[in-house]
Amino acid sequence: MMEQVYIIDDDKANNFLCRLVLEDAGINQHVHSFYLVNDALNALKQAIEISSSFPDLVLLDINLPGADGWDFLNTFRSFPQEYKMQSKVFLLSSSIYPDDQERAKEYPEILEFLPKPLTIELVERIKQQYFAAAYVRP
Amino acid sequence: MYLFQENNVDFPHLHFNALKEELNAILLTSGASVLLLNRNLEVQYFSNEIVELYNIKPEDIGKKISEIPGYFSECDVSFYAQKIFENNVGYRGKITTSQGKHYTKRMRPFKHSNGTVSGVIVAFTDITELEDAQIALEKSEQRFRDMAELAVDYMFEVNAKGIVTYVSPGIKEILGYEPEDVLNQYLAKFMPEEEGKMVLKDILHITKTQADYPPLTHHIIKKDGTVIIVESRGRAIKDKDGKVLGYRGINRNITEKISAEREQSHLNQLLERKVAQRTSELEENQKQLVEAQRIGKLGSWIWNLQTHYKVWSDMMFEIFDVDKTPDVSFDVFNERIHEDDRDFMNDVERTAIEGGDTHYVVQSRIRRRNNEIRYIEATAHIYRDDAGKAIKLIGTAQDITELKQQEAERRKLIADLMQQNKDLQQFSYIISHNLRAPVANIVGLGKMYRAGRMDERNEKIVKNMQESAEDIDSVIKDLSNILSLRSGIGAEKELINIHDIFSTVVKTLHPQIEEVGAKITSDFATAPKIFTIKSYLHSIFYNLLSNALKYRSPERNIEINVSAGKRINYMWISVQDNGLGIDTEKNREKLFGLYRRFHPQIEGKGIGLYLVKVQAETMGGWVEVESEPDKGTKFTVFLSLNSLTQNDA
C-alpha cells in the first residue's frame, strides 16, 4: 500500500505536479516534498530514531543543489536493512545525460529511471507493478 | 814461356841453340798454340798459349800427350797423330773448348831432313770471334729477310730523283703491285696527285740540302684504286763523301691503326662527354643535396669510432652553430647539447653502440651561441665489423624546432578541441536537461489541467506552467550568453588598467558590500595593466566578488583580498575570501560545472563560476581554486600572455 511518499527535487513546479498526479491516483495523505537531499535524509534518520516507518515510494531527482541524488543514495544505503526495504526508490529526472543512466545501474536501490513528467498512467503502472501485492495482503 | 828443352834425345840433329831464339820470336808474335810430339807421342815442346787447351806444366815435357788432360773432347790428338805417322799426311779440324772457345786444329808431320817423320806438330788457332760474327751475321740476315717479307711492311729504295730502284716482295701483299710494276717508276706516281708532288719536292729538297729524311705519313693508291695510309721511315743513302744518293725506307700500312685510333679517339670523346655529363649530374645532385639539406635543415655526419674522426656536412655546422672545421671534436658537439639533455643523449648513444643496435634515433635540445634553444632529431646507423664491434656511425641531424612547435601547437589544438568537444557535449546535456525539466513540467501540468474550470487547482497549474516557461526563457538566455562567450564574438582585446575595471565592479556591487560590511583590499602594483577583453575581465571580477560576498561565513567579518601578478608566460588575478569554503577534494570536478550549486541555502543559479571558467579559457587561460570548508576560498585566474600576444599578432 502506498501510504507515504517522498519527493526529493528542487523544482517547485515538478513537486506541485507530482502532488497533483499522486492525488489524482488516490495518494494524498502523506506526500512530502524536499527541496534538499539533506532535509530528506534528516527526515529518514528521524524516522529511525522514533521507530517510525520509511516512505513506501521515493521519487528522487539527480541534479540538486549541494548534495545530489547520488549522495542521497549513498547515505540511504547505510540505513538499516529493515528500514531500507520499506522504500521503493525511483529516479525521476529530465536528465538525458548517458552517464546518469549508466550510473543508475550501479544502484540496486533504484527500481527504475523515470522520465519527467510524472503522469497518472505512470503512477498507475507503478502501483500495479510494485505495489499490487500490498493490495491483496489481508 | 817454356820453349825447347836442352838434351832433346829425339831431335839430336836440331841445332837447338840456333833455332831457339828465332822460333820463340815467331811463336810469340803469332800467338799460336803449338805442341810438338815425338814418335812415341810424348810432348817435346809446347808454346805458352797451349795452356788454354791443356792442363800442361813444364815438367810434363816427355810425358805422353794422352796422359795430359785437355779442355776439349771432340778430338783424340793421339789417334790422329798415329794416322799421320802411318800415312805421312796432315790433318785439320775444329774443336770447341769447355770454355766455349772455338779453335781450328792443324796437325802436320815433322820431317827430318832425310825425309823421315820424327814427330807431329799440332797447332791450334783461336777462331772464336770469327765464329760469333758468322752466327750474328746469319741471324741478322734472317731478321732482315723476315722484316722485308712481313705483310704489313715493304721496303724500298729510291734514287735522288725519287725513282724507285728497289722494292721488297711485300709490296704485292700491301699494294697489289708486283715489284716490277713499281721499279723505275716515280715514287710520287703511286700517291694522290697533290701529295705526290709535295713528296717529290721534299725528296729533291732533301737531296739538295743533304739532310736526313724525317718519318712521314702519306697516302698510297693501291692497284685496285683504294687508298691506304702508310707510315714511311727510313734513311738517306749516302756515299762515302756524305752525298745523298737516295732513300731507303720501310712503308708500313697504318690504315687500320689510324682508323682504330680514330675509333679510339671517337670513343674517348664519347667517354669524356659522358664523364662530363655524369660529373655535371653529380654536381647537380650535390647541389640539390646541399639545397635539400639546407631546406630540410638536415645535416649528415660520419663518425669513425676507430680513428675518432668526425666529418660533418656544411649544414651540421649551421644547425649546431659551430665554426667549420675538418675534424669535429666531441667537446664542441657536447657543448651545444642542452645541459639537461647531455646525459640522456650520451646514454642513448652509448647504449645503442654497446648494446648491438643497428641504429638509433634521439631527440634533444641544443643551445646555440645566442642562447636560442632548438630541437634536434639525430638518426644514426651503426656499422659493425664481423665480431659485432661498432666501427662507424653514419647519421643525420635535423632541426625539428618548427616541427616540434607545430606538433606542440597541433597537440594543444587537439587537446583544446577535445576539451571543447567534451565541454560542448556536457554543455548540451546540461542545457537539454535544464530545458527539458521545465518543458516536462509544462507537458505534465498540461495533462492535469481540467479545461473549462476556473478553480484553484487550475489556477495553480497555470501559475506553475508560467514559472516553468520563465525557466525555459532563462535557460535560453544563459545559453545564448554562454555561446557568445565561447565563440568570443564582439570581444576586442585592449590594454586595460586592471584597477579601473575592479573599481567599476566594486561600485556595481556596492549595496551588497555595504550590506554585509565586507572589507575589500586590492593590490595590482606588480601587474597594473593587462591586454585582454574588457567585458570578460569585468565579468570575472563580478562573479568572483559576488560569490565571495554570497558564500560568506556567518561567523566572521568578511574580508576579500584581490591581487594580480605575472609569471613567466602568464598573468594571474586572484580573489581570496574568508567565507564558507568548499570541499575541493570532493567537488573539484563539479565546481565549475554549469548549474552546479554547493550551498543550497543560498540563492544561486550555478552559472557564475562556469562563466569565469569559460571566459578564462576563451582568453587562453584557466582557473585554479584553493579552498577549505569554513576557512575560505581563493580563486586564481591565469591568462596566457603567449596566447594573448599570438592572437594579437
Side-chain angles (χ1 to χ4, degrees):
Chain A
M1 190 53 194
M2 225 193 287
E3 287 184 341
Q4 199 185 176
V5 180
Y6 276 16
I7 304 165
I8 308 168
D9 198 330
D10 65 333
D11 184 346
K12 286 179 195 163
N14 173 70
N15 294 356
F16 170 71
L17 175 63
C18 286
R19 268 177 191 280
L20 219 54
V21 169
L22 289 167
E23 208 175 273
D24 279 13
I27 308 154
N28 52 12
Q29 289 292 307
H30 303 284
V31 176
H32 305 281
S33 34
F34 301 91
Y35 292 128
L36 299 173
V37 163
N38 287 338
D39 292 350
L41 287 172
N42 287 335
L44 291 175
K45 281 170 192 164
Q46 208 179 355
I48 297 169
E49 270 171 35
I50 61 165
S51 302
S52 175
S53 57
F54 267 29
D56 305 289
L57 176 69
V58 177
L59 298 174
L60 175 68
D61 190 17
I62 300 167
N63 295 309
L64 292 151
D68 60 16
W70 309 118
D71 295 327
F72 173 85
L73 287 166
N74 291 336
T75 312
F76 182 81
R77 205 172 259 191
S78 66
F79 289 145
Q81 180 64 19
E82 64 266 32
Y83 285 95
K84 276 197 290 188
M85 59 179 289
Q86 297 170 22
S87 296
K88 292 186 164 49
V89 181
F90 291 84
L91 281 186
L92 179 65
S93 177
S94 63
S95 170
I96 52 157
Y97 191 41
D99 283 7
D100 286 344
Q101 313 262 2
E102 281 303 307
R103 201 167 168 191
K105 289 177 188 163
E106 294 168 20
Y107 291 88
E109 295 86 353
I110 300 167
L111 293 177
E112 274 187 49
F113 193 125
L114 302 175
K116 285 181 179 178
L118 189 70
T119 57
I120 293 174
E121 294 77 29
L122 209 53
V123 174
E124 288 299 339
R125 180 176 67 76
I126 288 165
K127 260 164 71 174
Q128 286 293 324
Q129 201 171 329
Y130 299 98
F131 296 92
Y135 284 94
V136 296
R137 210 190 282 164
Chain B
M1 173 73 60
Y2 306 95
L3 291 174
F4 293 98
Q5 304 294 311
E6 302 295 332
N7 56 16
N8 194 317
V9 283
D10 288 314
F11 305 97
H13 57 281
L14 282 176
H15 303 283
F16 272 114
N17 289 336
L19 209 55
K20 197 168 72 176
E21 290 302 318
E22 201 176 343
L23 249 176
N24 274 346
I26 292 164
L27 288 173
L28 268 174
T29 47
S30 76
S33 312
V34 178
L35 270 178
L36 185 62
L37 308 175
N38 62 12
R39 282 194 75 91
N40 294 328
L41 301 182
E42 290 158 352
V43 177
Q44 297 298 306
Y45 163 87
F46 64 88
S47 74
N48 185 39
E49 307 297 323
I50 206 76
V51 296
E52 292 284 328
L53 292 143
Y54 284 98
N55 186 10
I56 196 167
K57 294 180 184 74
E59 54 269 31
D60 292 330
I61 297 286
K63 275 190 183 170
K64 280 190 181 291
I65 186 69
S66 57
E67 288 166 9
I68 296 166
Y71 299 135
F72 53 93
S73 58
E74 305 91 289
C75 155
D76 186 348
V77 172
S78 308
F79 173 77
Y80 287 109
Q82 201 61 52
K83 287 236 179 231
I84 287 168
F85 289 132
E86 285 165 15
N87 304 329
N88 199 20
V89 291
Y91 175 80
R92 67 194 302 165
K94 271 188 192 174
I95 58 153
T96 303
T97 67
S98 54
Q99 302 283 317
K101 293 186 105 177
H102 305 284
Y103 288 87
T104 56
K105 182 194 68 187
R106 276 178 297 179
M107 294 173 71
R108 282 176 185 279
F110 183 79
K111 288 178 182 168
H112 220 268
S113 50
N114 60 3
T116 60
V117 175
S118 59
V120 172
I121 296 173
V122 186
F124 299 92
T125 311
D126 187 347
I127 55 161
T128 308
E129 279 176 26
L130 214 63
E131 279 290 297
D132 288 350
Q134 181 68 26
I135 289 163
L137 190 66
E138 278 169 14
K139 275 188 185 162
S140 172
E141 270 173 14
Q142 184 59 42
R143 203 176 296 141
F144 179 79
R145 240 190 327 277
D146 289 349
M147 274 163 62
E149 286 163 15
L150 264 174
V152 291
D153 297 338
Y154 67 92
M155 302 185 63
F156 68 94
E157 285 175 18
V158 290
N159 64 18
K161 289 177 178 164
I163 292 168
V164 178
T165 56
Y166 166 80
V167 68
S168 70
I171 194 166
K172 180 155 167 62
E173 184 76 26
I174 295 166
L175 296 182
Y177 292 110
E178 296 295 337
E180 43 273 28
D181 296 340
V182 179
L183 275 172
N184 298 317
Q185 303 283 342
Y186 277 104
L187 187 66
K189 189 183 164 188
F190 303 95
M191 300 179 193
E193 202 179 335
E194 287 304 310
E195 207 175 306
K197 283 180 189 165
M198 275 165 59
V199 170
L200 188 60
K201 224 168 94 185
D202 282 350
I203 290 173
L204 293 174
H205 175 74
I206 288 162
T207 311
K208 210 188 281 176
T209 57
Q210 311 293 311
D212 242 322
Y213 289 82
L216 56 115
T217 303
H218 62 82
H219 292 87
I220 288 186
I221 304 161
K222 284 171 68 173
K223 194 174 182 182
D224 64 8
T226 56
V227 177
I228 61 165
I229 302 162
V230 295
E231 186 182 66
S232 187
R233 284 176 180 278
R235 285 189 175 278
I237 307 166
K238 297 177 182 177
D239 65 12
K240 61 183 192 307
D241 299 325
K243 189 184 170 218
V244 174
L245 300 175
Y247 178 74
R248 179 185 294 133
I250 298 172
N251 277 357
R252 171 164 293 190
N253 182 358
I254 57 165
T255 314
E256 281 182 9
K257 189 180 153 206
I258 293 267
S259 72
E261 271 171 4
R262 279 185 189 148
E263 178 73 8
Q264 188 65 43
S265 133
H266 176 65
L267 284 175
N268 279 345
Q269 278 172 14
L270 255 175
L271 193 67
E272 272 167 24
R273 261 210 304 278
K274 280 196 171 169
V275 167
Q277 192 186 337
R278 192 83 189 100
T279 306
S280 89
E281 274 173 23
L282 283 172
E283 276 168 1
E284 184 61 27
N285 280 348
Q286 174 75 12
K287 241 193 283 177
Q288 282 175 0
L289 185 68
V290 168
E291 183 69 0
Q293 289 207 350
R294 196 182 62 74
I295 292 168
K297 292 189 174 175
L298 179 81
S300 52
W301 52 271
I302 299 171
W303 180 17
N304 188 326
L305 293 171
Q306 290 166 323
T307 61
H308 299 288
Y309 197 73
K310 275 185 177 181
V311 183
W312 280 14
S313 75
D314 289 356
M315 200 57 210
M316 284 292 287
F317 294 102
E318 213 160 296
I319 290 170
F320 281 87
D321 194 20
V322 170
D323 293 329
K324 267 179 99 172
T325 159
D327 185 14
V328 187
S329 81
F330 178 76
D331 290 343
V332 167
F333 165 75
N334 217 30
E335 209 171 275
R336 286 283 176 274
I337 302 292
H338 192 285
E339 52 277 11
D340 295 345
D341 291 352
R342 264 176 219 158
D343 290 347
F344 166 72
M345 185 89 172
N346 294 336
D347 267 1
V348 168
E349 197 177 78
R350 196 174 43 242
T351 313
I353 291 172
E354 288 170 7
D357 293 354
T358 54
H359 73 283
Y360 66 84
V361 181
V362 61
Q363 288 189 2
S364 128
R365 287 165 295 175
I366 57 164
R367 192 188 284 283
R368 288 170 68 90
R369 275 180 281 206
N370 61 1
N371 259 336
E372 186 193 357
I373 306 282
R374 298 200 66 89
Y375 286 85
I376 300 297
E377 181 173 278
T379 307
H381 284 262
I382 304 168
Y383 292 79
R384 297 179 183 279
D385 61 15
D386 292 341
K389 189 181 173 242
I391 48 173
K392 188 168 67 172
L393 267 68
I394 297 182
T396 58
Q398 187 172 21
D399 186 327
I400 54 163
T401 312
E402 275 75 27
L403 273 172
K404 269 273 187 207
Q405 279 167 355
Q406 282 168 11
E407 193 184 288
E409 276 165 27
R410 192 171 50 85
R411 258 194 219 146
K412 190 180 179 303
L413 200 69
I414 288 170
D416 284 358
L417 279 172
M418 280 173 71
Q419 183 56 44
Q420 227 169 53
N421 196 38
K422 202 179 133 203
D423 288 355
L424 281 172
Q425 210 172 23
Q426 188 118 8
F427 175 75
S428 74
Y429 285 131
I430 293 160
I431 288 293
S432 62
H433 170 263
N434 280 270
L435 277 175
R436 275 200 83 237
V439 168
N441 287 340
I442 291 170
V443 170
L445 289 165
K447 279 186 179 166
M448 303 307 289
Y449 187 77
R450 286 169 186 162
R453 291 198 197 174
M454 280 307 292
D455 55 7
E456 197 194 340
R457 174 186 156 119
N458 267 3
E459 245 174 65
K460 275 188 180 170
I461 287 172
V462 170
K463 188 175 158 277
N464 277 289
M465 283 171 97
Q466 278 173 346
E467 280 173 13
S468 293
E470 277 161 20
D471 285 349
I472 295 172
D473 187 48
S474 155
V475 171
I476 287 171
K477 272 182 188 157
D478 290 345
L479 174 65
S480 149
N481 271 335
I482 293 161
L483 285 180
S484 70
L485 266 186
R486 278 248 178 234
S487 61
I489 292 166
E492 284 291 323
K493 280 179 185 164
E494 51 192 306
L495 195 61
I496 295 158
N497 189 317
I498 297 177
H499 191 264
D500 288 353
I501 299 295
F502 178 71
S503 300
T504 316
V505 173
V506 168
K507 237 173 254 169
T508 315
L509 288 170
H510 188 70
Q512 289 96 311
I513 295 168
E514 279 291 288
E515 191 193 330
V516 300
K519 185 188 164 197
I520 300 177
T521 56
S522 68
D523 177 11
F524 305 118
T526 54
K529 290 186 178 184
I530 184 168
F531 190 79
T532 192
I533 300 161
K534 194 175 178 180
S535 62
Y536 286 12
L537 188 62
H538 188 280
S539 165
I540 287 168
F541 273 136
Y542 180 89
N543 282 301
L544 291 179
L545 271 183
S546 53
N547 265 9
L549 291 169
K550 241 190 249 176
Y551 306 110
R552 66 189 179 272
S553 164
E555 292 154 16
R556 294 184 287 275
N557 283 332
I558 175 169
E559 283 176 20
I560 303 171
N561 192 305
V562 183
S563 55
K566 271 182 189 168
R567 280 193 197 171
I568 301 163
N569 292 319
Y570 294 92
M571 268 204 68
W572 54 265
I573 293 166
S574 81
V575 176
Q576 185 171 21
D577 65 44
N578 61 346
L580 291 169
I582 316 150
D583 186 348
T584 50
E585 280 304 306
K586 209 174 141 193
N587 297 307
R588 192 176 290 277
E589 289 271 314
K590 295 178 188 170
L591 194 55
F592 296 98
L594 182 58
Y595 299 128
R596 290 287 188 175
R597 292 173 54 216
F598 296 89
H599 301 285
Q601 301 82 357
I602 299 156
E603 204 53 41
K605 269 168 70 179
I607 197 166
L609 281 178
Y610 178 76
L611 288 179
V612 169
K613 176 178 168 267
V614 171
Q615 283 160 337
E617 283 170 0
T618 307
M619 291 188 286
W622 72 98
V623 186
E624 281 179 10
V625 61
E626 296 163 52
S627 185
E628 224 180 298
D630 211 32
K631 284 273 170 70
T633 309
K634 181 184 180 184
F635 286 100
T636 310
V637 179
F638 291 91
L639 299 173
S640 162
L641 288 175
N642 268 0
S643 162
L644 293 178
T645 49
Q646 253 175 29
N647 289 350
D648 189 30

